[in-house]
């Protein structure tokens, strides 16, 4: 087998700039001054985030090589890689995909332009950034000849790359041809992948970020662990099973805290709108309680984990200490936020339960608050097998001192212990499902945090915990 990939075509850049995109995008790029390394950041349009583009970009002069990436399953073109002749293609494409690869693949890096992508000299273009989504010159230029019924998306999901100086003439030639028939020329290339859906591009700049030196063009159909350069056997990305990926990430000390995902999921797309639930101002958060005695010892947490799941998932060993601290922070927050204000309330257990769970009737028979109310008022009716409930109850008494001195003879701490145990078991059950969905063989903190965040009732309870949003030591 050859040691280097097959060059499909070549073209030459002489103007120090290239235009890119659909036919009308290229025309638009040819009408504005040449752009240096773009520093644009995503902006919100309705419910999507886009980048503002000018469709031209400074590029190295000289010879450019064009490579097709072939899907090994059907031998069709699935993506394109184009680079200046001075660039080593295999190493370069792997670097690009590590920093900002496909949003549909694991370990895809950044999906937007950020300080990190800028520092690495990578510029990100996503599906909503170009093609028919930007209508400048679309009416005047159109999309060109149609591919036909067998590939109706071809015009909107293929793209060209052409030297700035001859862009308009090249567009006039290409628009008379179907996308699959648009030939490369001495100044550019048309990149067509059959039956593709949505198009993405990643530009890579030289070390000084003065000029673009390579790009990867792909679609949502592209799986880089399944595609190769022509005449090479090894895939662009190495295929990993979910188990192997998780093991590698643990070994590489991947951040499984879930804090970054939590920040991203809670960032409003538009003012007043958030996909799930908004983050809370730091001034309103409670905790941390790290210097206070733990509510649950390690053996208590392990017992709750086992009892809560039909097929128990263990904790990832590297993250076990973090998980124990997080759960104790959440437990102490619950005591401080929900229990402490009602200790010693006149009227006994029922009055205290009604004050803590005012919505238990509205939540329904299977609602979380109804279950919590039942466990509080009947702590001995459904005990957790193997849990050292007496020890937990004693620590709750100590943690609530001096308020606990006002407790009547009936043991409220046992009721509180049962409520906390139920909450943690609910969290573990959801975290186990999320771990499976995320291909995690063991539970990590992100499974816990995101399970709380995506469950309406749990989020309402823990939304003001500082440890939930900002982490624990």
């Amino acid at each position: 087998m050859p040691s280097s990939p097959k060059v499909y075509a070549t073209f030459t850049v002489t103007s120090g700039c290239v235009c890119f995109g659909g036919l009308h995008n290229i025309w638009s790029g040819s009408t504005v001054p040449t752009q240096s390394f773009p520093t644009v950041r995503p902006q919100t349009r309705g419910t999507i985030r886009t980048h503002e583009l000018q469709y031209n970009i400074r590029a190295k002069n000289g010879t450019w090589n064009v490579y097709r990436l072939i899907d090994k399953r059907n031998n069709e073109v699935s993506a394109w890689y184009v680079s200046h002749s001075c660039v080593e293609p295999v190493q370069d494409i792997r670097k690009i995909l590590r920093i900002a690869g496909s949003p549909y693949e694991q370990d895809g890096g950044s999906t937007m332009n950020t300080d990190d992508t800028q520092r690495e000299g990578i510029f990100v273009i996503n599906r909503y950034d170009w093609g028919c989504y930007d209508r400048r010159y679309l009416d005047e230029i159109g999309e060109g000849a149609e591919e036909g019924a067998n590939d109706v998306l071809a015009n909107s999901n293929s793209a060209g790359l052409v030297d700035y100086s001859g862009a308009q003439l090249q567009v006039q030639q290409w628009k008379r041809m179907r996308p699959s028939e648009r030939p490369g020329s001495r100044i550019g290339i048309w990149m067509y992948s059959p039956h593709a859906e949505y198009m993405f591009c990643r530009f890579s700049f030289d070390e000084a970020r003065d000029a673009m030196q390579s790009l990867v063009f792909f679609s949502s159909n592209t799986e880089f662990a399944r595609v190769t350069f022509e005449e090479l056997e090894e895939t662009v990305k190495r295929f990993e099973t979910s188990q192997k990926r998780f093991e590698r990430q643990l070994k590489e000390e991947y951040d499984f805290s879930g804090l970054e995902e939590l920040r991203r999921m809670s960032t409003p797309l538009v003012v007043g709108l958030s996909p799930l639930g908004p983050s809370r101002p730091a001034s309103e958060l409670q905790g941390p309680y790290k210097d206070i005695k733990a509510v649950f010892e390690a053996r208590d947490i392990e017992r709750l984990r086992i009892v809560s799941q039909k097929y128990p998932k263990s904790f990832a060993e590297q993250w076990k200490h973090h998980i124990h601290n997080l759960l104790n922070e959440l437990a102490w927050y619950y005591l401080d936020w929900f229990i402490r204000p009602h200790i010693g309330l006149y009227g006994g257990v029922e009055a205290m339960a009604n004050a803590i769970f005012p919505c238990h009737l509205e939540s329904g028979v299977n609602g979380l608050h109804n279950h919590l109310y039942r466990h509080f008022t009947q702590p001995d009716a459904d005990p957790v097998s193997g849990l050292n409930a007496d020890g937990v109850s004693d620590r709750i008494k100590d943690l609530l001192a001096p308020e606990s001195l006002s407790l009547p003879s009936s043991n409220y701490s046992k009721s509180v212990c049962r409520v906390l145990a139920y909450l943690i078991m609910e969290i573990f059950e959801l975290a186990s499902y999320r771990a499976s969905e995320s291909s995690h063989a063991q539970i990590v903190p992100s499974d816990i945090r995101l399970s709380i965040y995506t469950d309406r009732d749990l989020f309402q309870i823990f939304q003001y915990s500082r440890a939930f949003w900002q982490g624990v030591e």
Side-chain angles (χ1 to χ4, degrees):
M1 292 292 294
S3 59
S4 58
K6 174 184 177 181
V7 176
Y8 171 74
T10 62
F11 62 90
T12 304
V13 174
T14 58
S15 65
C17 178
V18 292
C19 299
F20 60 89
L23 296 177
H24 65 289
N25 298 148
I26 294 173
W27 193 279
S28 178
S30 72
T31 65
V32 296
T34 60
Q35 308 293 305
S36 58
F37 183 85
T39 57
V40 301
R41 292 295 182 265
Q43 54 186 302
T44 300
R45 294 180 179 177
T47 58
I48 61 175
R49 303 180 78 190
T50 63
H51 300 100
E52 186 77 30
L53 304 182
Q54 296 302 325
Y55 303 109
N56 76 50
I57 201 163
R58 290 181 188 170
K60 285 182 175 290
N61 282 332
T63 300
W64 284 68
N65 296 325
V66 179
Y67 304 88
R68 300 190 302 182
L69 301 177
I70 308 300
D71 192 314
K72 296 185 72 171
R73 294 166 297 183
N74 56 21
N75 289 321
E76 289 189 340
V77 178
S78 182
W80 297 73
Y81 172 80
V82 184
S83 64
H84 190 272
S85 58
C86 70
V87 175
E88 198 290 312
V90 176
Q91 292 180 6
D92 183 65
I93 193 173
R94 287 177 174 164
K95 173 193 172 184
I96 294 172
L97 296 177
R98 175 177 54 82
I99 297 166
S102 170
Y104 300 96
E105 292 188 339
Q106 295 276 358
D107 301 331
S110 177
T111 59
M112 292 287 171
N113 288 300
T114 65
D115 292 342
D116 290 338
T117 58
Q118 183 174 350
R119 185 166 47 251
E120 296 285 355
I122 303 296
F123 183 62
V124 175
I125 299 177
N126 292 325
R127 54 180 284 196
Y128 294 114
D129 295 334
W130 53 353
C132 60
Y133 297 104
D134 188 297
R135 301 191 65 82
R136 283 175 287 181
Y137 290 96
L138 180 58
D139 292 338
E140 296 90 332
I141 302 302
E143 291 187 311
E146 295 184 358
E147 182 63 29
N150 290 332
D151 198 357
V152 295
L153 299 176
N155 264 310
S156 59
N157 293 320
S158 57
L161 182 74
V162 61
D163 188 38
Y164 180 86
S165 61
Q168 293 191 7
L169 178 61
Q170 186 66 73
V171 166
Q172 294 289 6
Q173 295 174 351
W174 276 338
K175 69 182 295 186
R176 296 191 294 267
M177 308 170 186
R178 296 190 303 178
S180 63
E181 296 176 342
R182 292 170 189 166
S185 70
R186 60 179 181 81
I187 60 169
I189 188 70
W190 187 262
M191 297 173 288
Y192 167 75
S193 301
H195 317 297
E197 186 172 10
Y198 310 137
M199 57 181 181
F200 301 83
C201 194
R202 307 293 187 248
F203 288 121
S204 176
F205 279 68
D206 57 22
E207 190 170 339
R209 293 195 290 279
D210 290 330
M212 189 264 289
Q213 62 179 9
S214 64
L215 67 87
V216 186
F217 175 76
F218 60 95
S219 75
S220 61
N221 300 4
T222 307
E223 293 183 47
F224 286 104
R226 306 285 189 182
V227 302
T228 65
F229 283 96
E230 281 189 282
E231 296 191 357
L232 292 187
E233 184 65 28
E234 187 176 8
T235 55
V236 172
K237 287 182 69 173
R238 294 177 177 87
F239 176 77
E240 288 181 303
T241 64
S242 299
Q243 175 69 15
K244 289 292 185 183
R245 182 185 301 113
F246 183 64
E247 292 173 356
R248 174 178 58 77
Q249 289 174 329
L250 287 174
K251 189 178 298 184
E252 294 174 354
E253 299 184 348
Y254 181 87
D255 182 9
F256 280 115
S257 69
L259 295 174
E260 184 59 38
E261 295 101 312
L262 203 58
R263 281 190 286 268
R264 185 172 63 250
M265 293 171 70
S266 63
T267 301
L269 293 178
V270 295
V271 176
L273 174 65
S274 184
L276 294 171
S279 59
R280 298 306 183 196
S283 60
E284 298 181 8
L285 300 179
Q286 304 296 310
Y289 306 99
K290 60 183 180 180
D291 296 326
I292 300 176
K293 185 189 298 183
V295 181
F296 292 95
E297 294 181 344
R299 59 187 176 184
D300 302 317
I301 292 175
E302 287 298 305
R303 188 60 194 161
L304 293 173
R305 175 188 64 79
I306 293 170
V307 173
S308 68
Q309 304 170 48
K310 186 175 182 180
Y311 303 105
K313 279 185 178 289
S314 62
F315 301 138
E317 189 64 34
Q318 301 93 317
W319 289 94
K320 184 181 290 187
H321 184 68
H322 183 111
I323 291 172
H324 289 180
N325 286 348
L326 172 60
L327 292 171
N328 273 299
E329 282 281 333
L330 295 178
W332 177 245
Y333 158 84
Y334 187 83
L335 294 174
D336 197 30
W337 188 264
F338 291 97
I339 304 300
R340 189 188 297 279
H342 305 293
I343 288 178
L345 187 68
Y346 181 78
V349 171
E350 290 290 340
M352 191 172 174
N354 285 318
I356 299 171
F357 313 109
C359 302
H360 71 279
L361 293 176
E362 289 85 348
S363 71
V365 174
N366 293 316
L368 176 64
H369 293 284
N370 188 60
H371 285 299
L372 296 177
Y373 179 90
R374 178 173 58 84
H375 287 304
F376 189 90
T377 55
Q378 305 171 47
D380 297 319
D382 187 19
V384 179
S385 173
L387 176 68
N388 181 18
D390 290 339
V392 175
S393 298
D394 288 342
R395 288 191 290 276
I396 289 173
K397 280 184 181 179
D398 293 341
L399 291 167
L400 292 176
E403 289 87 343
S404 60
L405 298 178
S406 65
L407 293 177
S409 57
S410 57
N411 194 347
Y412 284 126
S413 61
K414 183 181 292 186
S415 297
V416 176
C417 168
R418 187 64 185 89
V419 165
L420 284 176
Y422 184 81
L423 279 170
I424 290 178
M425 290 169 66
E426 279 289 292
I427 292 170
F428 282 156
E429 183 178 2
L430 294 176
S432 178
Y433 291 138
R434 178 167 284 275
S436 296
E437 291 172 355
S438 303
S439 300
H440 297 164
Q442 299 165 304
I443 294 173
V444 290
S446 61
D447 300 318
I448 292 174
R449 282 195 169 90
L450 299 182
S451 294
I452 293 172
Y453 182 70
T454 54
D455 183 271
R456 182 188 63 181
D457 291 329
L458 289 176
F459 179 70
Q460 286 179 347
I461 290 173
F462 294 110
Q463 61 182 311
Y464 291 103
S465 164
R466 180 171 275 107
F468 173 71
W469 290 107
Q470 298 180 5
V472 295
E473 293 183 0

